[in-house]
């Protein structure tokens, strides 16, 4: 692979990572707004918390991959595996913290909607034909 091909591939991968995080953020805002309109303030905050439970670790994973791309470090399968493992662990830890500290104010259906919507943020990219 020539350096130019590698640079193009890295730029495309970086753009895809950034687009994914932006799509997940947009979907989270839509879910929080819809929850607020349907069920009120606590539901909106629960949806926001649910989405952030996944968006925060996902953003850190994307940032880690961007650093690997631009530092010219070899990001192999093991790096990807550990990044995904830390993302799942971070998601579970944040979920436990939200459940622990939100208490009775937590609206579970809204939290789950926020979480699922952010998990499926790539669907927005598919709809907009930005995922290639």
């Amino acid at each position: 692979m020539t350096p130019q091909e590698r640079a193009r591939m890295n730029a495309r991968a970086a753009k895809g990572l950034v687009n994914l995080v932006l799509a997940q953020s947009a979907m989270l805002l839509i879910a929080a707004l819809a929850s607020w309109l349907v069920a009120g303030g606590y539901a909106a905050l629960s949806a926001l918390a649910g989405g952030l439970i996944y968006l925060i670790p996902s953003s850190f994973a994307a940032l880690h991959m961007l650093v690997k791309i631009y530092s010219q470090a070899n990001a192999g399968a093991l790096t990807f595996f550990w990044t995904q493992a830390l993302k799942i662990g971070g998601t579970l830890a944040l979920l436990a913290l939200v459940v622990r500290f939100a208490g009775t104010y937590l609206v579970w259906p809204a939290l789950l909607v926020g979480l699922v919507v952010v998990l499926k943020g790539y669907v927005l990219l598919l709809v907009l034909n930005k995922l290639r």
Side-chain angles (χ1 to χ4, degrees):
M1 179 180 308
T2 67
Q4 293 83 11
E5 290 172 333
R6 184 178 179 99
R8 268 183 276 151
M9 185 178 70
N10 286 345
R12 192 172 60 230
K15 183 180 178 187
L17 287 169
V18 170
N19 283 343
L20 180 60
V21 171
L22 291 175
Q24 288 175 331
S25 300
M27 296 289 282
L28 174 57
L29 292 176
I30 292 168
L33 180 62
S35 295
W36 177 65
L37 291 172
V38 170
Y42 288 131
L45 290 173
S46 295
L48 192 63
L52 288 174
I53 284 170
Y54 187 75
L55 183 62
I56 292 170
S58 179
S59 297
F60 279 119
L63 180 64
H64 179 259
M65 296 306 286
L66 285 171
V67 167
K68 287 286 188 181
I69 288 170
Y70 286 114
S71 69
Q72 304 297 325
N74 288 332
L78 191 58
T79 300
F80 180 76
F81 170 76
W82 283 112
T83 302
Q84 295 304 308
L86 289 173
K87 186 166 69 171
I88 292 168
T91 299
L92 292 174
L94 287 174
L95 179 61
L97 286 172
V98 167
V99 169
R100 168 106 165 107
F101 291 111
T104 58
Y105 298 108
L106 191 62
V107 179
W108 276 97
L111 179 126
L112 294 175
V113 165
L115 179 63
V116 169
V117 163
V118 172
L119 276 166
K120 298 301 177 185
Y122 63 87
V123 172
L124 181 61
L125 296 177
L126 286 172
V127 168
L128 297 174
N129 202 20
K130 298 284 185 185
L131 192 64
R132 295 177 212 178

